[in-house]
Amino acid sequence: MFAVMLSLLLQSTSITGGIESPLGMAPPSTARVVALPLEYAKLFNAQTQIRLDNHWEDFKPTFVRQKELFIQFMPIAYSSALESVISQMRRDSKINLANLMKTAPQGQFEFHGLPPGEYKLVATASLRGVDYVWTETVQVDSAPLRIQMKTHVP
């Protein structure tokens, strides 16, 4: 048993990083960052796409006239998809959700003990009253990883 635990510990690693705010904005005072394992990253991508497609069809005439409204809707779709995926992760007994979801003061976060594999990092925060969502896909190996999350919507 000890050998198995030691093996798992040696195979796990950490991710440290930060959220890069849009130009001219201070980092968020607090953010939530979730590390989605590949299975849940795929589900998140699919859920997000479904929400975007449905809202595009529902509000197409408005979005065609005012494209900026669709851009403003994107963080809502991402956040809603993330909440749905987190809800499913809570029911998965093989996952330690507390290890995969962190509060990021000043946009800084740290994950420890992650098994090797592909993860999608999803961060949510509000800046000046506007909701933002950052996403990055990372490959976790045995070496610690440092990442700066730059890709965001809007």
Side-chain angles (χ1 to χ4, degrees):
M1 179 69 168
F2 177 74
V4 170
M5 296 280 286
L6 182 61
S7 172
L8 287 173
L9 269 175
L10 292 175
Q11 290 180 5
S12 66
T13 192
S14 64
I15 300 174
T16 58
I19 296 169
E20 189 170 298
S21 298
L23 195 59
M25 291 190 182
S29 59
T30 188
R32 178 174 66 166
V33 184
V34 182
L36 299 173
L38 182 59
E39 164 189 0
Y40 289 100
K42 289 179 179 178
L43 182 60
F44 170 77
N45 291 340
Q47 290 282 330
T48 301
Q49 192 61 54
I50 289 168
R51 283 165 171 74
L52 291 172
D53 290 348
N54 287 344
H55 276 77
W56 176 260
E57 288 303 318
D58 290 346
F59 300 103
K60 188 188 290 188
T62 302
F63 289 152
V64 168
R65 285 190 316 274
Q66 296 175 289
K67 290 176 180 47
E68 67 278 0
L69 291 179
F70 185 70
I71 305 253
Q72 291 173 1
F73 169 74
M74 291 177 75
I76 296 168
Y78 278 73
S79 295
S80 174
L82 181 62
E83 291 306 319
S84 175
V85 170
I86 288 171
S87 176
Q88 290 189 25
M89 290 172 69
R90 281 193 173 102
R91 294 188 295 269
D92 189 339
S93 62
K94 298 174 283 185
I95 288 186
N96 178 2
L97 186 58
N99 196 38
L100 298 173
M101 194 163 47
K102 302 293 179 186
T103 299
Q106 297 303 308
Q108 301 300 306
F109 58 89
E110 205 167 336
F111 292 95
H112 294 286
L114 293 176
E118 187 175 308
Y119 292 85
K120 182 172 202 115
L121 299 178
V122 182
T124 59
S126 183
L127 296 168
R128 296 183 187 163
V130 177
D131 293 332
Y132 284 82
V133 178
W134 291 259
T135 60
E136 296 287 340
T137 301
V138 296
Q139 182 65 42
V140 173
D141 297 319
S142 58
L145 187 62
R146 172 87 180 131
I147 185 151
Q148 190 68 17
M149 295 181 74
K150 299 175 184 174
T151 307
H152 62 82
V153 292

